[in-house]
Amino acid sequence: MDDFLGSIRHMSIRQILLQLLNLSLMVSSALAMWKGLAVVTNTESPIVVVLSESMEPAFQRGDLLLLSMLNTPIIAGDIAVYKIEGKEVPIVHRVLEVHDSNEDGRRYLLTKGDNNLYDDRGLYNTGQMWVTDKEVIGRVSGFVPYIGMVTIVINDYPQLKVLMLGVMALIALVTKGE
């Protein structure tokens, strides 16, 4: 630890500013990659993590889902991610029924978790019977098992998030690019 702190003390202001610039470049690159992925997949959130067991056996808690919202319409059987107005967390469930409205041109979806006994009408807002196409964030196009557990653990233990960010910032600050 003394070695670590000593290396920071021996850095000039210019070296410290260069390391901070490198750190900000890494962060902005990650954000640019996220936005680029959002454009390519045509969805505001190209990656989500499964937070519950409601989609077992298809997906386990902690699976990382890759989303897309291509020009093909969502059909019954697709696994959609939607966000109900006023609710904080998006929901990942299978589409049971699709209704195309002739009146307003919208698509209406009824969803259900594979591991749930009943459809999702109990999760929708009061009086809401269907998810509209505007509430759909994306369709699941792939997944990586259990990678999202890191996100779940970090959200369950906020102190761990602060510790990890602090360690990463210190490493980025004292690591000399050669």
Side-chain angles (χ1 to χ4, degrees):
M1 186 70 170
D2 288 334
D3 244 5
F4 186 69
L5 294 174
S7 65
I8 292 176
R9 284 190 202 118
H10 290 90
M11 293 176 86
S12 69
I13 297 292
R14 182 179 173 147
Q15 287 173 319
I16 291 173
L17 290 175
L18 180 63
Q19 293 303 89
L20 289 174
L21 182 63
N22 284 336
L23 180 62
S24 64
L25 183 62
M26 288 187 320
V27 170
S28 60
S29 294
L31 290 173
M33 288 186 342
W34 176 264
K35 285 300 183 183
L37 190 57
V39 168
V40 168
T41 59
N42 195 29
T43 178
E44 67 186 59
S45 183
I47 297 172
V48 295
V49 175
V50 177
L51 299 177
S52 73
E53 295 84 16
S54 67
M55 279 303 293
E56 288 182 355
F59 301 118
Q60 309 297 315
R61 184 173 194 260
D63 287 355
L64 184 77
L65 304 180
L66 309 171
L67 306 183
S68 64
M69 200 61 187
L70 304 176
N71 293 332
T72 56
I74 292 178
I75 60 172
D78 283 348
I79 299 173
V81 178
Y82 61 92
K83 190 168 186 310
I84 300 293
E85 186 179 332
K87 309 275 175 144
E88 189 175 316
V89 179
I91 299 170
V92 179
H93 282 171
R94 192 175 305 276
V95 176
L96 288 180
E97 296 178 32
V98 177
H99 293 282
D100 293 316
S101 172
N102 292 332
E103 296 171 13
D104 58 11
R106 283 184 143 168
R107 303 194 91 209
Y108 293 92
L109 313 173
L110 179 62
T111 57
K112 176 186 173 293
D114 290 355
N115 199 26
N116 293 347
L117 294 175
Y118 305 106
D119 62 41
D120 289 348
R121 287 187 171 140
L123 298 175
Y124 305 160
N125 286 327
T126 305
Q128 183 176 359
M129 299 299 287
W130 306 91
V131 172
T132 64
D133 50 0
K134 287 188 174 190
E135 294 169 310
V136 175
I137 296 171
R139 173 190 302 127
V140 175
S141 56
F143 76 102
V144 182
Y146 300 112
I147 293 293
M149 284 305 288
V150 173
T151 303
I152 292 173
V153 169
I154 287 173
N155 284 330
D156 286 350
Y157 302 100
Q159 303 87 352
L160 185 60
K161 183 189 312 185
V162 171
L163 178 68
M164 286 178 60
L165 288 173
V167 168
M168 288 181 357
L170 283 173
I171 289 172
L173 188 62
V174 298
T175 303
K176 296 184 180 180
E178 296 176 24

